[in-house]
Coordinates of all heavy atoms in Angstrom, one line a residue:
L16 N -19.0 31.2 -49.7 CA -18.5 31.9 -48.6 C -18.3 31.1 -47.3 O -17.7 31.6 -46.3 CB -19.3 33.2 -48.3 CG -19.4 34.2 -49.4 CD1 -20.3 35.3 -49.0 CD2 -18.0 34.7 -49.8
E17 N -18.9 29.9 -47.3 CA -18.9 29.1 -46.0 C -17.5 28.9 -45.4 O -17.3 29.1 -44.2 CB -19.5 27.7 -46.2 CG -21.0 27.8 -46.4 CD -21.4 28.1 -47.8 OE1 -20.6 27.9 -48.8 OE2 -22.6 28.5 -48.0
P18 N -16.4 28.6 -46.2 CA -15.1 28.4 -45.6 C -14.6 29.7 -45.0 O -14.0 29.7 -43.9 CB -14.2 28.0 -46.8 CG -15.1 27.5 -47.8 CD -16.4 28.2 -47.6
L19 N -14.9 30.9 -45.6 CA -14.5 32.1 -45.0 C -15.3 32.5 -43.7 O -14.7 33.0 -42.8 CB -14.6 33.3 -46.0 CG -13.7 33.2 -47.3 CD1 -14.1 34.2 -48.3 CD2 -12.3 33.2 -46.9
E20 N -16.6 32.2 -43.8 CA -17.4 32.4 -42.6 C -16.9 31.6 -41.4 O -17.0 32.0 -40.3 CB -18.9 32.1 -42.9 CG -19.5 33.2 -43.8 CD -20.9 32.8 -44.3 OE1 -21.3 31.6 -44.1 OE2 -21.5 33.6 -45.0
E21 N -16.5 30.3 -41.7 CA -16.0 29.5 -40.6 C -14.7 30.1 -40.0 O -14.5 29.9 -38.8 CB -15.7 28.1 -41.1 CG -16.9 27.3 -41.4 CD -16.6 25.9 -42.1 OE1 -15.4 25.5 -42.0 OE2 -17.5 25.3 -42.7
L22 N -13.9 30.7 -40.8 CA -12.7 31.3 -40.3 C -12.9 32.5 -39.4 O -12.2 32.7 -38.4 CB -11.8 31.8 -41.5 CG -11.1 30.7 -42.3 CD1 -10.4 31.2 -43.5 CD2 -10.1 29.9 -41.4
V23 N -14.0 33.3 -39.7 CA -14.2 34.5 -38.9 C -15.3 34.3 -37.8 O -15.6 35.2 -37.1 CB -14.6 35.7 -39.8 CG1 -13.4 36.1 -40.6 CG2 -15.8 35.5 -40.6
A24 N -15.9 33.1 -37.8 CA -17.0 32.8 -36.8 C -16.4 33.0 -35.4 O -15.3 32.6 -35.1 CB -17.6 31.5 -37.0
A25 N -17.3 33.5 -34.5 CA -16.9 33.6 -33.1 C -16.7 32.2 -32.5 O -17.5 31.3 -32.7 CB -18.0 34.4 -32.4
K26 N -15.6 32.1 -31.8 CA -15.3 30.8 -31.2 C -15.4 30.9 -29.6 O -15.5 29.8 -29.0 CB -14.0 30.3 -31.6 CG -13.9 29.9 -33.1 CD -12.6 29.5 -33.6 CE -12.5 29.1 -35.0 NZ -13.2 29.9 -36.0
D27 N -15.4 32.0 -29.1 CA -15.4 32.2 -27.6 C -16.8 32.0 -27.1 O -17.8 32.5 -27.7 CB -15.0 33.6 -27.2 CG -13.5 33.9 -27.5 OD1 -12.8 32.9 -27.8 OD2 -13.1 35.0 -27.5
V28 N -16.9 31.2 -26.1 CA -18.2 30.8 -25.5 C -18.2 31.4 -24.0 O -17.2 31.3 -23.3 CB -18.4 29.3 -25.4 CG1 -19.7 29.0 -24.7 CG2 -18.4 28.7 -26.8
Y29 N -19.3 32.0 -23.7 CA -19.5 32.6 -22.3 C -20.7 31.9 -21.7 O -21.7 31.7 -22.4 CB -19.6 34.1 -22.3 CG -18.4 34.8 -22.8 CD1 -18.2 35.1 -24.1 CD2 -17.4 35.1 -21.9 CE1 -17.0 35.7 -24.5 CE2 -16.2 35.7 -22.3 CZ -16.0 36.0 -23.6 OH -14.9 36.6 -24.0
G30 N -20.6 31.7 -20.4 CA -21.7 31.1 -19.7 C -22.5 32.3 -19.0 O -21.8 33.2 -18.5
L31 N -23.8 32.3 -19.1 CA -24.6 33.3 -18.5 C -25.6 32.6 -17.5 O -26.2 31.6 -17.9 CB -25.4 34.0 -19.6 CG -24.6 34.7 -20.7 CD1 -25.5 35.2 -21.8 CD2 -23.7 35.8 -20.1
M32 N -25.7 33.2 -16.3 CA -26.7 32.7 -15.3 C -27.4 33.9 -14.7 O -26.8 34.7 -14.1 CB -25.9 31.9 -14.3 CG -25.1 30.7 -14.8 SD -24.2 29.9 -13.5 CE -25.5 29.1 -12.6
A33 N -28.8 33.9 -14.9 CA -29.6 34.8 -14.2 C -30.3 34.1 -13.1 O -31.1 33.2 -13.3 CB -30.6 35.4 -15.2
I34 N -30.0 34.5 -11.8 CA -30.4 33.8 -10.6 C -31.2 34.6 -9.7 O -30.9 35.7 -9.4 CB -29.1 33.3 -9.9 CG1 -28.3 32.4 -10.7 CG2 -29.5 32.6 -8.6 CD1 -27.0 32.0 -10.1
D35 N -32.3 34.0 -9.2 CA -32.9 34.5 -7.9 C -33.5 33.3 -7.2 O -33.3 32.1 -7.7 CB -33.9 35.6 -8.2 CG -35.3 35.2 -8.8 OD1 -35.5 34.0 -9.0 OD2 -36.1 36.1 -9.0
N36 N -34.3 33.5 -6.2 CA -34.8 32.3 -5.4 C -36.0 31.6 -6.0 O -36.4 30.6 -5.5 CB -35.2 32.8 -4.0 CG -34.0 32.5 -3.0 OD1 -33.2 31.6 -3.2 ND2 -34.0 33.2 -1.9
K37 N -36.5 32.2 -7.1 CA -37.7 31.6 -7.7 C -37.4 30.9 -9.1 O -37.8 29.8 -9.3 CB -38.8 32.6 -7.9 CG -39.3 33.2 -6.6 CD -40.8 33.3 -6.6 CE -41.2 34.0 -5.3 NZ -41.8 33.0 -4.4
I38 N -36.7 31.7 -9.9 CA -36.3 31.2 -11.3 C -34.9 31.4 -11.6 O -34.3 32.5 -11.2 CB -37.2 31.9 -12.3 CG1 -38.7 31.6 -12.2 CG2 -36.8 31.6 -13.7 CD1 -39.6 32.3 -13.1
T39 N -34.3 30.5 -12.3 CA -32.9 30.7 -12.7 C -32.9 30.2 -14.2 O -33.4 29.2 -14.6 CB -31.9 29.8 -11.9 OG1 -31.8 30.4 -10.6 CG2 -30.5 29.8 -12.5
T40 N -32.2 31.1 -15.0 CA -32.0 30.7 -16.4 C -30.5 30.7 -16.7 O -29.8 31.5 -16.3 CB -32.7 31.8 -17.3 OG1 -34.1 31.9 -16.9 CG2 -32.6 31.4 -18.8
I41 N -30.2 29.6 -17.4 CA -28.7 29.4 -17.7 C -28.7 29.4 -19.2 O -29.4 28.7 -19.9 CB -28.2 28.0 -17.1 CG1 -28.4 28.0 -15.6 CG2 -26.8 27.8 -17.5 CD1 -28.1 26.7 -15.0
A42 N -27.7 30.1 -19.8 CA -27.5 30.3 -21.2 C -26.1 30.3 -21.6 O -25.2 30.4 -20.7 CB -28.2 31.5 -21.7
T43 N -25.8 30.1 -22.9 CA -24.5 30.2 -23.4 C -24.5 31.4 -24.5 O -25.5 31.5 -25.1 CB -24.0 28.9 -24.1 OG1 -24.9 28.5 -25.1 CG2 -23.7 27.9 -23.1
L44 N -23.4 32.1 -24.6 CA -23.3 33.2 -25.5 C -22.1 32.9 -26.4 O -21.0 32.7 -25.9 CB -23.1 34.5 -24.8 CG -22.9 35.7 -25.6 CD1 -24.1 36.1 -26.4 CD2 -22.4 36.9 -24.7
K45 N -22.3 32.9 -27.7 CA -21.3 32.7 -28.7 C -21.4 33.7 -29.7 O -22.4 33.8 -30.4 CB -21.4 31.3 -29.3 CG -20.2 30.9 -30.1 CD -20.2 29.4 -30.5 CE -19.0 29.0 -31.2 NZ -19.0 27.6 -31.6
G46 N -20.5 34.7 -29.8 CA -20.6 35.8 -30.7 C -21.7 36.7 -30.2 O -21.7 37.1 -29.0
S47 N -22.7 37.0 -31.0 CA -23.8 37.8 -30.6 C -25.1 37.0 -30.4 O -26.2 37.5 -30.1 CB -24.1 38.9 -31.6 OG -24.4 38.3 -32.8
R48 N -24.9 35.6 -30.4 CA -26.1 34.8 -30.3 C -26.1 34.0 -28.9 O -25.1 33.4 -28.6 CB -26.0 33.8 -31.4 CG -27.2 32.9 -31.5 CD -27.2 32.1 -32.8 NE -28.3 31.2 -32.8 CZ -28.2 29.9 -32.5 NH1 -27.0 29.4 -32.3 NH2 -29.2 29.1 -32.5
Y49 N -27.2 34.1 -28.2 CA -27.3 33.4 -27.0 C -28.3 32.2 -27.2 O -29.2 32.3 -28.0 CB -27.7 34.3 -25.8 CG -29.1 34.8 -25.9 CD1 -30.2 34.1 -25.4 CD2 -29.4 36.0 -26.5 CE1 -31.5 34.5 -25.4 CE2 -30.7 36.5 -26.6 CZ -31.7 35.8 -26.0 OH -33.0 36.2 -26.1
V50 N -28.0 31.2 -26.4 CA -28.9 30.0 -26.4 C -29.3 29.7 -25.0 O -28.4 29.5 -24.1 CB -28.2 28.8 -27.1 CG1 -29.2 27.6 -27.0 CG2 -27.9 29.1 -28.5
I51 N -30.6 29.6 -24.7 CA -31.1 29.2 -23.4 C -30.8 27.7 -23.2 O -31.4 26.9 -24.0 CB -32.6 29.5 -23.2 CG1 -32.8 31.0 -23.4 CG2 -33.0 29.1 -21.8 CD1 -32.2 32.0 -22.4
Q52 N -30.0 27.3 -22.3 CA -29.7 25.9 -22.1 C -30.7 25.3 -21.1 O -31.1 24.1 -21.3 CB -28.3 25.8 -21.5 CG -27.2 26.3 -22.5 CD -27.1 25.5 -23.7 OE1 -27.4 24.3 -23.8 NE2 -26.7 26.1 -24.8
K53 N -31.1 26.0 -20.0 CA -32.0 25.4 -19.0 C -32.6 26.5 -18.2 O -32.0 27.6 -17.9 CB -31.2 24.5 -18.1 CG -32.0 23.7 -17.2 CD -31.3 22.5 -16.7 CE -32.3 21.5 -16.2 NZ -31.9 20.1 -16.2
Q54 N -33.8 26.3 -17.8 CA -34.5 27.2 -16.9 C -35.0 26.3 -15.7 O -35.7 25.3 -15.9 CB -35.7 27.9 -17.6 CG -36.2 29.0 -16.7 CD -37.1 29.9 -17.5 OE1 -38.1 29.5 -18.2 NE2 -36.9 31.2 -17.3
L55 N -34.7 26.8 -14.5 CA -35.1 26.0 -13.3 C -36.1 26.9 -12.5 O -35.9 28.1 -12.4 CB -33.9 25.7 -12.5 CG -32.8 24.9 -13.1 CD1 -31.5 25.1 -12.3 CD2 -33.1 23.5 -13.2
S56 N -37.0 26.2 -11.9 CA -38.0 26.8 -11.0 C -37.8 26.2 -9.6 O -37.7 25.0 -9.5 CB -39.4 26.7 -11.5 OG -40.3 27.3 -10.7
S57 N -37.9 27.0 -8.6 CA -37.6 26.5 -7.3 C -38.8 25.9 -6.6 O -38.6 25.0 -5.7 CB -37.0 27.6 -6.4 OG -38.1 28.6 -6.1
G58 N -40.0 26.3 -6.9 CA -41.1 25.9 -6.1 C -41.0 26.5 -4.7 O -41.7 26.0 -3.7
Y59 N -40.2 27.5 -4.5 CA -40.0 28.2 -3.3 C -41.3 28.7 -2.7 O -42.0 29.4 -3.4 CB -39.0 29.3 -3.6 CG -38.4 30.1 -2.5 CD1 -37.6 29.5 -1.6 CD2 -38.6 31.4 -2.4 CE1 -37.0 30.2 -0.5 CE2 -38.0 32.2 -1.4 CZ -37.2 31.5 -0.5 OH -36.6 32.3 0.5
S60 N -41.5 28.5 -1.4 CA -42.8 28.9 -0.8 C -42.9 30.4 -0.5 O -43.9 30.8 -0.2 CB -43.0 28.0 0.4 OG -42.1 28.3 1.4
G61 N -41.8 31.1 -0.5 CA -41.8 32.5 -0.3 C -42.1 32.9 1.1 O -41.7 32.2 2.0
K62 N -42.8 34.0 1.3 CA -42.9 34.6 2.7 C -44.2 34.2 3.4 O -44.4 34.5 4.5 CB -42.8 36.1 2.6 CG -41.5 36.6 2.1 CD -41.4 38.1 2.0 CE -40.0 38.4 1.6 NZ -39.7 39.7 1.2
H63 N -45.1 33.4 2.7 CA -46.3 33.0 3.3 C -46.1 31.7 4.0 O -45.4 30.8 3.6 CB -47.4 32.8 2.3 CG -47.6 34.1 1.5 ND1 -48.2 35.2 2.0 CD2 -47.3 34.4 0.2 CE1 -48.2 36.1 1.0 NE2 -47.7 35.7 -0.1
R64 N -46.7 31.6 5.2 CA -46.5 30.4 6.0 C -47.8 29.8 6.3 O -48.8 30.5 6.5 CB -45.6 30.6 7.2 CG -46.2 31.5 8.2 CD -45.2 31.7 9.3 NE -45.8 32.6 10.3 CZ -45.7 32.5 11.6 NH1 -45.0 31.5 12.1 NH2 -46.2 33.4 12.3
A65 N -47.8 28.5 6.5 CA -49.0 27.8 6.8 C -49.3 28.0 8.3 O -48.3 28.2 9.1 CB -48.9 26.3 6.6
G66 N -50.5 28.0 8.7 CA -50.9 28.2 10.1 C -50.3 27.1 11.0 O -50.1 26.0 10.6
G67 N -50.0 27.4 12.2 CA -49.5 26.5 13.2 C -47.9 26.3 13.1 O -47.4 25.6 14.0
Q68 N -47.3 26.9 12.2 CA -45.8 26.7 12.1 C -45.2 27.8 13.0 O -45.6 29.0 12.9 CB -45.3 26.8 10.7 CG -45.6 25.7 9.8 CD -44.9 25.8 8.5 OE1 -44.6 26.9 8.1 NE2 -44.8 24.7 7.8
S69 N -44.2 27.5 13.7 CA -43.4 28.5 14.4 C -42.6 29.3 13.4 O -42.2 28.8 12.4 CB -42.5 27.9 15.5 OG -41.4 27.2 14.9

Side-chain angles (χ1 to χ4, degrees):
L16 299 177
E17 289 83 17
L19 295 174
E20 289 171 351
E21 288 174 19
L22 288 173
V23 297
K26 292 177 176 49
D27 293 345
V28 176
Y29 293 92
L31 304 171
M32 300 176 71
I34 297 174
D35 75 1
N36 263 335
K37 299 221 183 256
I38 295 174
T39 292
T40 304
I41 301 173
T43 52
L44 175 68
K45 189 172 186 178
S47 61
R48 187 169 174 259
Y49 69 89
V50 176
I51 302 296
Q52 299 293 332
K53 190 159 196 154
Q54 190 168 49
L55 302 162
S56 179
S57 68
Y59 188 63
S60 64
K62 295 181 179 167
H63 304 290
R64 63 184 179 140
Q68 288 184 341
S69 71

